[in-house]
Amino acid sequence: MNFDFSDEQEQFRTQVRRFLEKADGLGEARKLLEGGMEGYSAATWSGLAEMGVPAIAIPEEYGGLGLGALELCVVAEEIGRSLAPVPFLSSVGICSEAICMYGTDETKARWLPGLAEGSTIGTWAQAWDDRSGSGDRPCVVENGRLTGVKLPVLDGMLAHVAVVSAMDKTGRPLLALCDLDQAGVKRKALTSLDPTRPAARISFDDVPVELLSRDPEAWDRLRDRAAVLLAFEQLGAAETALAMAREYSLDRVAFGRKIGSFQAIKHKLTDMYVGIELARSHCFYGAWASSTGSPEISLAAAGARCSATDALDVAAKENIQIHGGIGVTWESNCQLFYRRARLDALILGSRLEWQNRLVNALGSKMSVTG
């Protein structure tokens, strides 16, 4: 049995990789880090749109390609590999998916064509934290109008539409879709550890919204699918960090020998490789579960999320260690992977939260099979 991607999907991967190499994702990420560019790489996003990336999983009747989760996973890994600063996860992996899963025909007709061609950018607004004591309110929908605050919202400053996790006046959870260009929506850019994933604080003041779902498990189903894509992004970034470390170890000479010949360096590279391959198997499991609509998606997504988070964490840290003193300088690109690792570990929920979800999913599976 072949558990790998198909020949057609691998050919698509090759095309995406070639484009992203030419687009110089690390160079574009560096521009964002140094303040030479705002929000994202518009040129890279436009090029991906021309290749049909935002349209992959959108039905053909709404301007999409009608493909599926496997193709999205292929693209996610390549975007992670290049660290391309584009709103792929926000717009394609979550917003478009939410509309496809829960939107009415009218909602799909209104938003999906623009999302498919990349001219409309979507995001999601799920997190809310008032530990700052600012008095911010959680989001509540009453009579079809949204009031409250969400932060941080990734790609919130450039998005046109957002999937908002909110509640009704009785406290029951729901998902709503909000046009962010309306009056009553205010945005404020936030400082992020990883400027290639910019964030914003968005406040809603009695803003009209479209109801997507009142199912209390709607967000969890959407998050599981998005977690698989994020895991593939982490996998791709970890692979590049390993390649950087290996290349440097074969060039750098210390005590008359290339440092790659030292056992300690070999152990570090091996640890990186083992973690990446473990994550790869979990990511493939997640891709299968997502593409087939398997009831095992919660288990698969949690396994992929935990293993990919660990793989990128180890790869980013060891990449810096192998580079030594140069690895912690501003000029080194090692920091880009470390920043991405730290922020990705928090997106869609912390490592601890996903670990608990994994344990619960395993327990549920064992109780059923036992």
Side-chain angles (χ1 to χ4, degrees), residues 237-250:
E239 289 172 329
T240 299
L242 171 58
M244 284 178 61
R246 177 183 177 277
E247 182 179 355
Y248 184 78
S249 73
L250 295 176

Side-chain angles (χ1 to χ4, degrees), residues 10-211:
E10 288 298 336
Q11 290 172 3
F12 184 50
R13 177 198 299 279
T14 300
Q15 294 175 351
V16 173
R17 183 179 298 184
R18 286 175 178 170
F19 167 75
L20 290 174
E21 287 175 349
K22 185 177 180 180
D24 187 17
L26 283 177
E28 295 292 272
R30 168 67 68 172
K31 289 180 183 178
L32 276 173
L33 183 65
E34 296 179 346
M37 187 167 57
E38 290 293 333
Y40 74 121
S41 173
T44 303
W45 183 244
S46 177
L48 289 173
E50 290 179 5
M51 298 179 69
V53 166
I56 286 176
I58 293 177
E60 294 182 40
E61 58 264 38
Y62 299 109
L65 299 180
L67 299 176
L70 294 181
E71 289 77 14
L72 288 178
C73 291
V74 166
V75 173
E77 185 175 354
E78 295 309 313
I79 287 177
R81 189 189 307 277
S82 67
L83 289 191
V86 293
F88 173 80
L89 180 67
S90 299
S91 191
V92 180
I94 298 182
C95 188
S96 294
E97 280 287 294
I99 296 173
C100 288
M101 291 171 65
Y102 304 120
T104 63
D105 291 341
E106 292 78 10
T107 300
K108 294 176 182 178
R110 178 184 179 188
W111 292 109
L112 289 182
L115 289 166
E117 66 181 17
S119 58
T120 298
I121 294 176
T123 188
W124 86 101
Q126 191 272 334
W128 177 77
D129 188 357
D130 192 32
R131 286 177 295 182
S132 64
S134 63
D136 290 341
R137 298 165 293 171
C139 284
V140 176
V141 175
E142 187 172 357
N143 298 323
R145 306 184 79 86
L146 172 67
T147 300
V149 174
K150 287 291 184 179
L151 78 157
V153 180
L154 294 188
D155 300 306
M157 294 300 294
L158 57 99
H160 304 96
V161 59
V163 177
V164 183
S165 175
M167 63 182 73
D168 62 21
K169 61 181 180 181
T170 66
R172 292 180 298 182
L174 56 83
L175 285 181
L177 191 67
C178 181
D179 181 347
L180 297 179
D181 293 328
Q182 299 179 92
V185 177
K186 296 182 179 179
R187 319 186 206 195
K188 179 181 179 182
L190 300 176
T191 301
S192 171
L193 175 64
D194 181 6
T196 66
R197 287 198 187 278
R201 174 188 183 273
I202 302 183
S203 63
F204 307 92
D205 184 10
D206 199 36
V207 180
V209 294
E210 302 174 54
L211 179 66

Side-chain angles (χ1 to χ4, degrees), residues 32 36 38 52 86 104 142 189 223 242 253 282 308 329 331 333 342 352 356-357:
L32 276 173
E38 290 293 333
V86 293
T104 63
E142 187 172 357
R223 183 165 63 160
L242 171 58
V253 175
H282 281 284
T329 62
E331 290 75 16
N333 283 333
R342 298 273 60 78
L352 179 60
N356 291 335
R357 288 169 64 85

Side-chain angles (χ1 to χ4, degrees), residues 196-351:
T196 66
R197 287 198 187 278
R201 174 188 183 273
I202 302 183
S203 63
F204 307 92
D205 184 10
D206 199 36
V207 180
V209 294
E210 302 174 54
L211 179 66
L212 287 179
S213 176
R214 290 186 178 274
D215 185 343
E217 297 182 358
W219 168 245
D220 285 337
R221 285 195 292 270
L222 180 62
R223 183 165 63 160
D224 283 340
R225 295 173 65 87
V228 174
L229 292 182
L230 179 57
F232 269 96
E233 281 198 30
Q234 292 172 298
L235 177 65
E239 289 172 329
T240 299
L242 171 58
M244 284 178 61
R246 177 183 177 277
E247 182 179 355
Y248 184 78
S249 73
L250 295 176
D251 290 337
R252 178 74 167 92
V253 175
F255 306 105
R257 295 167 55 185
K258 294 180 185 290
I259 66 172
S261 66
F262 294 120
Q263 190 174 42
I265 300 298
K266 292 179 180 179
H267 285 173
K268 289 180 180 295
L269 292 171
T270 300
D271 288 342
M272 295 165 72
Y273 176 79
V274 170
I276 287 170
E277 291 307 306
L278 176 62
R280 189 187 310 281
S281 63
H282 281 284
C283 286
F284 276 31
Y285 179 31
W288 166 81
S290 184
S291 65
T292 60
S294 169
E296 297 181 27
I297 181 62
S298 294
L299 173 62
R305 183 77 173 101
C306 290
S307 60
T309 297
D310 292 345
L312 181 53
D313 179 65
V314 171
K317 289 179 180 178
E318 297 293 17
N319 187 30
I320 293 175
Q321 291 294 320
I322 290 173
H323 277 76
I326 196 174
V328 295
T329 62
W330 180 261
E331 290 75 16
S332 172
N333 283 333
C334 293
Q335 62 172 307
L336 297 175
F337 294 90
Y338 187 78
R339 290 171 181 271
R340 178 61 62 90
R342 298 273 60 78
L343 187 58
D344 280 1
L346 299 175
I347 296 176
L348 299 175
S350 68
R351 169 67 168 77

